Amino acid sequence: MMTNLPKTAAETALIRQFAGLQQQGVFPPDTQRAGFLPSLPQRQAAIAALGAHGLPTRRLEAWHYSDLRRLLPDIAAFSDKIDGVELPPLLAEAPVLTLINGRAGEAPNSGNKVFKAISLAANSEAETQYAGFDTELEDKGAIISQINTAFARDGWHIEVAAGNKAVIELQNIQNSGQSHSRLAASVGKAAQLTLIERQAGDNQASFLSFASRLELAEEAEVTWIIVRQRGLNAAELNRFQAILGQKSRLRLYVVNLGGQLVRQEIHVDLAGEGADFQLRGINLLAGSAHTDNTMVVRHLVENTASTEIFRNVVAEQAHGVFQGMIRVAQAAQKTDARMACNSLILSDEAEFSARPELEIFADDVACGHGATVAEIDHNHLFYLMARGIPEGAARILLIKAFVGALLDELPENLAGALHKVLAAWLESHFTAA
Amino acid sequence: MLEIKNLHASIAETGLEILRGLDLTVQDGEVAAIMGPNGAGKSTLSYIIAGREDYQVTQGDIFYNGRSVLAMDAAERAALGIFLAFQYPMEIPGVATMEFLKVAMNAQRKARGEAELKVPEFIKIVREATAGLEMDMAMLKRPLNVGFSGGEKKRAEILQMALLQPKLCVLDETDSGLDIDALKIVADGVNALRAKTRSFLVITHYQRLLDYIVPDRVHVLYKGRIIKSGDKNLALQLEQNGYADIIGAAE
């Protein structure tokens, strides 16, 4: 393996930008929101690790389909401009937490008793030392953690106390420039949280990293929906991590509708008996978008379950990736894990790479995976057209049906809002006539 | 008026010729039956009229009201008023039947330059049409044809026909898979749509359907050509004697 590749423009820029920021003294003091944001020594160690091993290449198994050295040739510079405005929330009733160009906005409704939301860079001392976010300095593949640790300056901390029920939308708006932020969420015993994570931006060049970490206490229930609507020159590295306690339940939806380069990592630990994780992913990819979804689910104890279903539609020269790793620890008997990945490929140059992996150390488990690739069924198309539906509209209807089916398990208002988002994307990318 | 002249058509993928010089005319308001043994080309004929792209027309033409339809795709033909009731209606998961009906009706209205249907008006029309076919509206919330029984699928086809109000209805073995009660309901549905301006091409294997949908003309299709035409008595004659006599005389 080659070790001394010359530094790319992007690597050089990251190292130089870090030095610049450090000199300007812009990183929050270590005492502030301790643990939620990295300390200066942690930042320095992270940038040193990045400098030492560089951006991952395809030689690294976890990045096989997404060679960052090649796909991230350069990165947008930091800018202090507040470029972007809050969007109307997907659910009208949801309070909105914003991050615009990486800066947290006002906390909504301070009188809210259902949940507590504190911006990480807010000028207050942390009540507790948070030890959640991993820095993973040794792992060459953990580049998102490392970049985020080096640069993260703001974000949100959300707490839903035991027995409470909250609906929140977080908007990370990045039109131009660069940002790195975090979201720490903890959901108490038997509490419920619906969190919509909007990752949005226009077609200017931008670069960001985002790390979220979610803890579910016993019997907590979380529906977490990542909706990505980024522009043609946006690069986003996103790491979602969740730890599930006893009998807790997490439904994670990832809806990818854009971005030039996207890596969505999903790390889930089923750490309490009876925990249940369901992942539903929708990729609608066009242009030359490269969207990588890489998941590692660890079944750590007995009687846990997970299902993962991805539905992908890939057009033009887009490339989608789903790497799904299910690890079943020796102690994790009676694990039930199912993974499926179905892709519709709409052009000769479009591509979807699916790599399911099972790593099982227990002997009494039910695990399975499957992947399919297809074109639009021409019998279905003929049937719709024979009823007078023009070809373009018939294709849109079939694509909507293919991906929309994954939303059926959601409450009606959420499913309805997401159906609209999908329809808007389809109608802007395909002609109905 | 539908006029098919010397139509030769083959399966695009294999080049196998199915229709070999077929001539057929169906006047406005006429109910024409096409009968024939297995493999005669009955379903192929229905698909080619509707505009399925798996077939290649190598010779001849299809005129509808004097215009050749060969260059039109299936949606354009449907907009002209051509409707195919499928022998095996397609199951389409994820597309709710109601949604499909609304999209189809509005697409045809748009093609004719009419305004889209308002939701209450649409529901009213569908409610009336389903009642006539003894269908349950609740069924229409389900994905199109998914989990429908054979009879339900055929009724759903006739429902679509009633809603879209086509001018030329091609019924491809609509009787197959139907018990006698369902057959009567479907036939009543078809008969209710008979009109001076609407013609039917009823493709069937058995004479039984023609007891309920009484044809004006009966054509016998064999090896891709019409080998005999007559009135409704021709169907009765076939029922008694089988195809052997007619085929023997033609060969």
Side-chain angles (χ1 to χ4, degrees), chain B residues 104-167:
Chain B
M105 287 173 76
N106 282 329
Q108 294 210 11
R109 292 176 74 94
K110 194 175 161 194
R112 290 195 296 261
E114 297 165 17
E116 287 203 351
L117 280 170
K118 298 263 187 306
V119 173
E121 198 185 346
F122 165 72
I123 305 247
K124 183 169 168 270
I125 296 172
V126 175
R127 194 184 302 277
E128 284 167 11
T130 45
L133 288 161
E134 297 181 27
M135 287 173 80
D136 187 355
M137 280 282 279
M139 207 172 97
L140 306 182
K141 288 188 180 143
R142 284 154 48 188
L144 185 54
N145 291 322
V146 176
F148 289 18
S149 70
E152 285 171 334
K153 282 181 187 167
K154 295 296 171 73
R155 272 186 235 189
E157 292 291 290
I158 303 304
L159 171 69
Q160 291 170 38
M161 194 165 91
L163 293 173
L164 295 170
Q165 295 277 317
K167 295 280 177 280

Side-chain angles (χ1 to χ4, degrees), chain A residues 354-367:
Chain A
R355 182 165 65 179
E357 288 178 279
L358 300 173
E359 210 178 76
I360 303 171
F361 293 103
D363 49 22
D364 182 13
V365 301
C367 292

Side-chain angles (χ1 to χ4, degrees), chain A residues 330-345:
Chain A
Q330 201 168 359
Q333 302 295 355
K334 313 281 183 202
T335 287
D336 191 337
R338 316 265 159 191
M339 182 155 54
C341 180
N342 314 109
S343 308
L344 267 188
I345 304 293

Side-chain angles (χ1 to χ4, degrees), chain A residues 378-380 383 385 387-388, chain B residues 52 54 84 108 157 160:
Chain A
H378 78 288
N379 290 318
H380 290 174
Y383 189 83
M385 288 175 70
R387 296 300 177 251
Chain B
R52 192 170 180 136
D54 308 52
L84 169 63
Q108 294 210 11
E157 292 291 290
Q160 291 170 38

Side-chain angles (χ1 to χ4, degrees), chain B residues 34-37 204-207 210 218-221 227-228 232-247:
Chain B
I34 301 275
M35 299 186 71
T204 183
H205 214 69
Y206 301 106
Q207 193 269 337
L210 304 180
V218 174
H219 306 275
V220 179
L221 180 64
I227 57 166
K228 193 172 172 78
K232 63 181 179 186
N233 293 318
L234 178 57
L236 297 171
Q237 192 188 325
L238 283 170
E239 177 75 0
Q240 280 172 9
N241 306 334
Y243 290 107
D245 292 354
I246 294 171
I247 289 169

Side-chain angles (χ1 to χ4, degrees), chain A residues 41-315:
Chain A
Q42 281 174 326
R43 293 175 190 279
Q44 288 163 337
I47 200 74
L50 174 70
H53 55 65
L55 293 172
T57 69
R58 60 183 297 113
R59 287 163 189 273
L60 212 57
E61 214 35 27
W63 291 83
H64 183 73
Y65 300 103
S66 301
D67 187 320
L68 269 201
R69 246 185 101 82
R70 186 173 59 79
L71 291 168
L72 190 64
D74 204 351
I75 57 170
F78 284 99
S79 150
D80 287 332
K81 200 169 109 195
I82 299 299
D83 180 7
V85 291
E86 185 179 327
L87 305 169
L90 283 187
L91 296 180
E93 73 273 22
V96 176
L97 308 179
T98 58
L99 284 163
I100 297 176
N101 194 19
R103 298 305 164 87
E106 294 283 307
N109 191 3
S110 55
N112 198 317
K113 300 219 168 47
V114 179
F115 70 91
K116 198 161 76 176
I118 303 163
S119 74
L120 296 186
N123 196 11
S124 63
E125 302 287 315
E127 299 105 69
T128 49
Q129 179 82 17
Y130 188 72
F133 287 97
D134 295 331
T135 48
E136 301 179 289
L137 298 181
E138 307 303 316
D139 183 351
K140 286 181 188 171
I143 196 78
I144 302 181
S145 291
Q146 290 157 15
I147 290 177
N148 193 263
T149 300
F151 290 99
R153 280 153 75 184
D154 206 344
W156 287 95
H157 172 214
I158 298 168
E159 255 180 27
V160 185
N164 277 332
K165 221 170 156 175
V167 180
I168 303 169
E169 177 164 317
L170 176 116
Q171 298 183 356
N172 191 23
I173 313 283
Q174 188 77 32
N175 286 332
S176 59
Q178 186 182 151
S179 77
H180 304 272
S181 31
R182 291 182 162 188
L183 169 59
S186 52
V187 182
K189 185 175 175 182
Q192 292 179 23
L193 169 65
T194 297
L195 189 128
I196 298 167
E197 176 187 331
R198 296 274 289 282
Q199 297 286 351
D202 65 19
N203 286 332
Q204 300 176 70
S206 66
F207 173 67
L208 71 85
S209 79
F210 188 82
S212 52
R213 187 174 184 281
L214 165 68
E215 287 175 39
L216 290 90
E218 200 179 326
E219 290 168 29
E221 279 188 32
V222 173
T223 300
W224 188 294
I225 297 169
I226 300 174
V227 181
R228 192 165 353 259
Q229 297 164 292
R230 290 212 179 279
L232 301 173
N233 295 295
E236 175 182 336
L237 303 177
N238 190 324
R239 184 183 197 275
F240 171 91
Q241 184 190 10
I243 300 98
L244 276 69
Q246 249 185 58
K247 293 184 187 157
S248 67
R249 183 158 185 250
L250 169 62
R251 295 193 285 196
L252 173 65
Y253 282 73
V254 178
V255 181
N256 289 316
L257 307 170
Q260 175 58 34
L261 169 66
V262 172
R263 165 91 163 191
Q264 174 69 59
E265 290 190 5
I266 297 156
H267 300 264
V268 173
D269 283 353
L270 294 151
E273 262 199 65
D276 181 277
F277 170 54
Q278 292 173 34
L279 169 63
R280 302 290 178 266
I282 293 175
N283 289 298
L284 295 183
L285 309 177
S288 56
H290 181 102
T291 294
D292 175 327
N293 305 271
T294 291
M295 176 203 85
V296 180
V297 172
R298 298 194 297 180
H299 291 263
L300 300 171
V301 296
E302 272 190 49
N303 288 314
T304 59
S306 73
T307 63
E308 296 83 20
I309 306 175
F310 265 81
R311 290 272 170 101
N312 318 299
V313 177
V314 197

